Amino acid sequence: MSDNLISVNNVSVNFDYQENFISKKQKIHAVNNINIKIKKGSFFGLVGESGSGKTTLGRAILGANKISSGNVIFHDDERDYDLTNMNKQDLKEYRKKAQLIFQDPYAALSPRMTVRDIIAEPLEVMKITNSRQETDERVRDIAAKCRLNIEHLRRFPHAFSGGQRQRISIARALVSNPKFIVADESVAALDVSIQADILNLLKQLQTELNLTYLFISHDLSVVAHVCDVVAVMYLGHIVEMGPSRELFKNPKHSYTKALLSSIPSIDPEKRSEAIELKGEIPSALNPPPGCVFRTRCPHPGVDCKGGEITMGLTEVEPGHWVDQCCVL
Amino acid sequence: MSHLLEVKNLDVKFDTDEGRIIAVENISLSLDQGKVLGIVGESGSGKSVTAKSIMQLNPGNTFYNNNAEIILDNENVLKFTSKEDLKKIRGGKVSMIFQEPMASFAPAIKIGAQMVEQLLIHKKNMNKKEAKSLSINMLNRVGIADAEKRFNQYAFELSGGMRQRAMIAMALSTMPKLLLADEPTTALDVTIQAQVINLIKDIIQEYQMGVIFITHDLGVIAQIADDVAVMYLGSVVEKGPVNKILKNPKHPYTKGLLEALPDVNNLDAPLSPIPGNIPSPLDRPTGCVFRTRCPHHNPEGKDGKIEMKLVEVEQGHWVDQCGIKCGQNE
């Protein structure tokens, strides 16, 4: 049996794009040739700017986006699920085991359903429980784990604050007893004090329920705090990946370094040592050939300027992988 | 020297179907030319309402108290009622940049046309041609490449960082004395956020305006502000120079905010949330507003017998009196 829960092998996701109906069809290279292994019980972080392909990769792993090439394997206890080659029955099974928590708790909950119905819906749709009584029991059980009161269950979402709503979303995702959770910017819309509360809850549930997370975020300080392993994405590629402490202490790629230096320091005397990146992330319609970061790289080597070095990760230290362009 | 802006004893109340809501209570702030005042607090703490009062942008059901004063450039803007007077503050002496630049630009009008329109309203002696060249200059100044091309584009054609730059260019082109920035970097990526912060700092240097910078991110405050006011449920609980507040916070709420913040340089520190939720403004606690979530190091504050009042603990550093006692009993 393997230690990994998810293996992502050479996955690319492309979207077709046509500006208007007479123009030429183009391809958007949203995710390119990604290889990651997510260990059982780990908190795997995915960081990057908007447009870097974090969400697309997360959705591809859940089977919510079509994978253009490569495959994703979910290693369950008894059997492996190959996401690229799955029939309807398998997909239904997989949905019970892999769930998603969204960013905006105000948009994710239907305003016309009571909290009980919101949490119970996955059970009913997936036909996991057989009687109303059983459903109610599971709903109450998971609500208690997510620190919601029983009397909350009869109310509607508008009565709750952002943090409570996010706890409802978490309860809904966890009610089917999944093993794998994709948390897509799940704390980005919350105030800092509540953000800390939700992060602690996610951590606590991880040990209680044996969960594995893929945590997608643009906030490096949050990722540094909760994740064991972090992958940094830029324009559809992973540019650096490693154990989070190692990666944050000793970043190798110039993009990771720039991201880290851009976090505003809480110390007023330590102002602005940010390595300023010029411009913005290029369009995924025509990414620069070779190293994708070279158009914004503060120290482009002679070679990568022409884009002759292809993208590819090399292991600089055990478990710490960096794109080869920045190692040279 | 008199201050550029002085807010004195400001209360803001809203009449709603459920009753009269106190959004802001007894706030006094001041700001000098060329300085940045940061306002921090959770959502619902009244940061934006305070800023909007300066431009009288709060909705029709808003009530200000009679003894409140907002003195901008030696004039009490709360007394302004005529259209001409209001025009002087809205976009004239005061400009505002918002969190979501996509929502602040009209989607079907070219960016250039919007910039020219406001210049023609506020600068009476300017013709269209001058307004256009000034607008393009401003776009250039804030670091937008191809300013002439961008001038003729719509907001949706620009990326998030670019839109925020265009918004800043537009806000600055009328040369306001006061810039209100309401969470201008919250929707941006860290790299773009760093660019925008540096841009705002450069512009303050160049034009010597006063800036009120609203955010919930204490890191951003540390980077840009000279003074900070920490707000909770409509009241200022602590205010003073930025390094005193962040290095030596006295109020339990300020301390709580700092402890909840994840710090990359200290990964072993646990994240400690402030327990509970911010109460609804409909049932605002009497006495110290923070007492429902306070760790209660001070037993007297618990039953709301201590009134809210800021006390100066060291030069320029003001803390709510209940909070001081809490801090001492810790």
Side-chain angles (χ1 to χ4, degrees):
Chain A
M1 209 182 77
S2 111
D3 293 348
N4 297 324
L5 185 71
I6 303 267
S7 312
V8 175
N9 303 314
N10 307 318
V11 164
S12 298
V13 180
N14 301 327
F15 296 112
D16 288 330
Y17 173 77
Q18 200 174 14
E19 193 159 357
N20 54 47
F21 73 99
I22 41 171
S23 62
K24 214 174 77 197
K25 267 195 184 157
Q26 289 170 290
K27 281 223 182 314
I28 294 177
H29 306 275
V31 167
N32 288 296
N33 201 14
I34 300 274
N35 285 294
I36 49 177
K37 304 243 182 296
I38 303 176
K39 276 215 176 94
K40 275 183 188 147
S42 69
F43 216 121
F44 193 100
L46 208 52
V47 271
E49 288 174 276
S50 22
S52 59
K54 315 180 292 278
T55 299
T56 308
L57 179 60
R59 289 175 61 98
I61 294 174
L62 286 176
N65 272 344
K66 230 181 139 211
I67 296 166
S68 309
S69 66
N71 64 10
V72 175
I73 315 271
F74 178 81
H75 307 279
D76 201 5
D77 294 339
E78 302 94 44
R79 53 165 296 198
D80 288 357
Y81 293 86
D82 182 351
L83 252 71
T84 35
N85 184 13
M86 203 151 53
N87 58 32
K88 266 192 172 168
Q89 193 55 42
D90 283 355
L91 189 63
K92 273 187 182 165
E93 280 300 307
Y94 181 62
R95 290 266 188 266
K96 291 179 194 167
K97 294 179 174 160
Q99 282 288 334
L100 178 63
I101 304 170
F102 293 95
Q103 166 170 6
D104 186 354
Y106 288 85
L109 306 176
S110 164
R112 290 165 166 240
M113 288 164 82
T114 61
V115 171
R116 185 253 165 215
D117 290 343
I118 286 170
I119 301 177
E121 198 182 23
L123 293 175
E124 284 153 7
V125 172
M126 295 177 192
K127 302 198 175 66
I128 294 174
T129 48
N130 298 317
S131 65
R132 192 179 162 97
Q133 202 187 352
E134 198 186 339
T135 310
D136 278 343
E137 246 165 57
R138 296 230 355 210
V139 169
R140 275 203 291 270
D141 185 44
I142 197 72
K145 284 204 173 85
C146 296
R147 298 207 301 271
L148 293 162
N149 296 336
I150 301 291
E151 63 262 34
H152 285 164
L153 294 176
R154 266 180 291 148
R155 291 198 217 150
F156 290 90
H158 69 83
F160 296 94
S161 66
Q164 285 169 319
R165 280 179 202 227
Q166 199 56 286
R167 290 210 287 270
I168 298 170
S169 317
I170 293 173
R172 177 183 162 99
L174 294 181
V175 75
S176 63
N177 261 339
K179 293 190 165 150
F180 178 60
I181 296 284
V182 176
D184 190 355
E185 298 274 13
S186 299
V187 296
L190 306 173
D191 280 315
V192 273
S193 61
I194 295 155
Q195 169 180 299
D197 182 45
I198 295 291
L199 291 173
N200 289 343
L201 176 68
L202 288 175
K203 273 271 180 198
Q204 185 197 333
L205 290 168
Q206 182 184 28
T207 36
E208 240 171 77
L209 304 172
N210 264 330
L211 296 170
T212 306
Y213 289 106
L214 176 67
F215 188 84
I216 300 173
S217 176
H218 68 274
D219 190 333
L220 283 112
S221 34
V222 168
V223 168
H225 257 269
V226 296
C227 297
D228 318 317
V229 185
V230 179
V232 182
M233 277 187 87
Y234 184 80
L235 206 58
H237 291 270
I238 287 180
V239 294
E240 187 162 5
M241 177 163 70
S244 70
R245 271 168 200 252
E246 159 76 16
L247 189 123
F248 284 101
K249 262 201 198 109
N250 191 11
K252 296 277 186 217
H253 196 278
S254 22
Y255 181 60
T256 318
K257 286 181 194 165
L259 272 185
L260 277 172
S261 74
S262 302
I263 303 173
S265 161
I266 191 75
D267 187 346
E269 277 150 31
K270 238 185 1 198
R271 284 201 176 182
S272 185
E273 293 151 13
I275 306 169
E276 203 172 312
L277 291 180
K278 296 273 175 277
E280 280 153 40
I281 196 162
S283 155
L285 265 177
N286 36 20
C291 169
V292 285
F293 186 56
R294 71 192 163 85
T295 53
R296 291 172 82 194
C297 189
H299 334 273
V302 188
D303 291 336
C304 70
K305 229 172 195 161
E308 276 111 37
I309 302 176
T310 50
M311 295 294 287
L313 294 172
T314 19
E315 195 164 21
V316 285
E317 262 160 78
H320 188 167
W321 297 75
V322 185
D323 183 64
Q324 55 195 12
C325 181
C326 259
V327 181
L328 293 174
Chain B
M1 200 190 93
S2 68
H3 299 293
L4 168 67
L5 172 81
E6 210 165 357
V7 178
K8 285 182 195 159
N9 314 320
L10 176 72
D11 286 358
V12 184
K13 293 176 184 143
F14 296 120
D15 254 355
T16 67
D17 293 343
E18 284 116 48
R20 189 165 272 202
I21 288 177
I22 302 174
V24 163
E25 192 174 60
N26 200 12
I27 280 196
S28 301
L29 299 166
S30 62
L31 174 69
D32 291 331
Q33 244 184 343
K35 295 281 181 201
V36 181
L37 170 69
I39 303 184
V40 253
E42 287 174 275
S43 14
S45 58
K47 313 181 292 277
S48 297
V49 172
T50 309
K52 282 182 182 164
S53 325
I54 299 169
M55 285 169 103
Q56 290 208 30
L57 282 177
N58 285 319
N61 59 349
T62 314
F63 291 90
Y64 301 101
N65 53 329
N66 287 327
N67 61 339
E69 287 179 44
I70 298 180
I71 315 270
L72 175 74
D73 230 8
N74 304 319
E75 282 182 286
N76 186 355
V77 299
L78 282 178
K79 295 278 179 284
F80 285 179
T81 44
S82 75
K83 262 195 167 168
E84 275 312 302
D85 278 346
L86 287 173
K87 214 187 262 174
K88 268 202 310 205
I89 42 171
R90 294 182 184 160
K93 280 183 183 169
V94 191
S95 277
M96 189 154 184
I97 35 181
F98 297 93
Q99 172 170 1
E100 194 24 89
M102 191 64 210
S104 349
F105 276 115
I109 304 172
K110 285 175 181 164
I111 289 190
Q114 299 184 47
M115 294 185 73
V116 167
E117 184 191 12
Q118 54 133 14
L119 279 171
L120 294 181
I121 292 173
H122 290 292
K123 303 273 178 222
K124 283 280 141 47
N125 49 4
M126 195 175 259
N127 63 33
K128 242 185 172 164
K129 214 174 144 201
E130 285 164 352
K132 182 178 173 181
S133 72
L134 175 64
S135 300
I136 292 176
N137 268 341
M138 283 314 293
L139 288 174
N140 254 324
R141 176 67 198 79
V142 297
I144 291 181
D146 275 340
E148 229 148 302
K149 183 179 143 208
R150 302 293 176 198
F151 184 83
N152 285 317
Q153 284 185 324
Y154 296 94
F156 73 87
E157 294 176 274
L158 272 58
S159 68
M162 195 101 81
R163 251 179 247 142
Q164 200 56 285
R165 282 165 191 271
M167 195 74 225
I168 293 171
M170 182 163 159
L172 293 178
S173 61
T174 55
M175 300 294 160
K177 295 196 161 167
L178 173 66
L179 180 68
L180 305 176
D182 190 354
E183 306 252 13
T185 61
T186 308
L188 305 174
D189 283 312
V190 270
T191 53
I192 312 291
Q193 171 172 291
Q195 289 175 5
V196 170
I197 289 176
N198 283 341
L199 171 66
I200 294 180
K201 276 202 236 171
D202 287 351
I203 281 165
I204 298 164
Q205 283 292 317
E206 195 174 326
Y207 298 103
Q208 284 297 314
M209 58 182 61
V211 179
I212 291 189
F213 199 101
I214 298 174
T215 178
H216 65 267
D217 188 335
L218 286 160
V220 174
I221 287 286
Q223 291 301 306
I224 199 166
D226 299 296
D227 292 300
V228 198
V230 182
M231 283 187 75
Y232 182 79
L233 208 60
S235 298
V236 172
V237 293
E238 185 161 5
K239 66 176 181 181
V242 66
N243 49 358
K244 284 188 181 152
I245 300 276
L246 294 182
K247 290 242 161 115
N248 187 16
K250 297 278 185 218
H251 197 277
Y253 181 62
T254 319
K255 286 182 189 167
L257 279 182
L258 282 166
E259 275 162 22
L261 201 70
D263 183 1
V264 235
N265 299 318
N266 186 7
L267 292 180
D268 295 315
L271 293 177
S272 32
I274 300 170
N277 289 305
I278 191 163
S280 150
L282 277 170
D283 38 41
R284 203 165 183 270
T286 51
C288 169
V289 283
F290 188 57
R291 70 189 163 89
T292 54
R293 295 173 76 188
C294 188
H296 291 310
H297 299 300
N298 171 29
E300 291 162 68
K302 211 171 201 165
D303 28 13
K305 290 204 179 107
I306 300 185
E307 295 232 326
M308 297 286 290
K309 190 184 168 204
L310 289 172
V311 178
E312 195 167 16
V313 287
E314 52 187 319
Q315 220 219 311
H317 185 173
W318 297 72
V319 187
D320 179 65
Q321 55 183 8
C322 184
I324 297 175
K325 287 191 181 160
C326 267
Q328 282 164 353
N329 290 12
E330 201 171 300

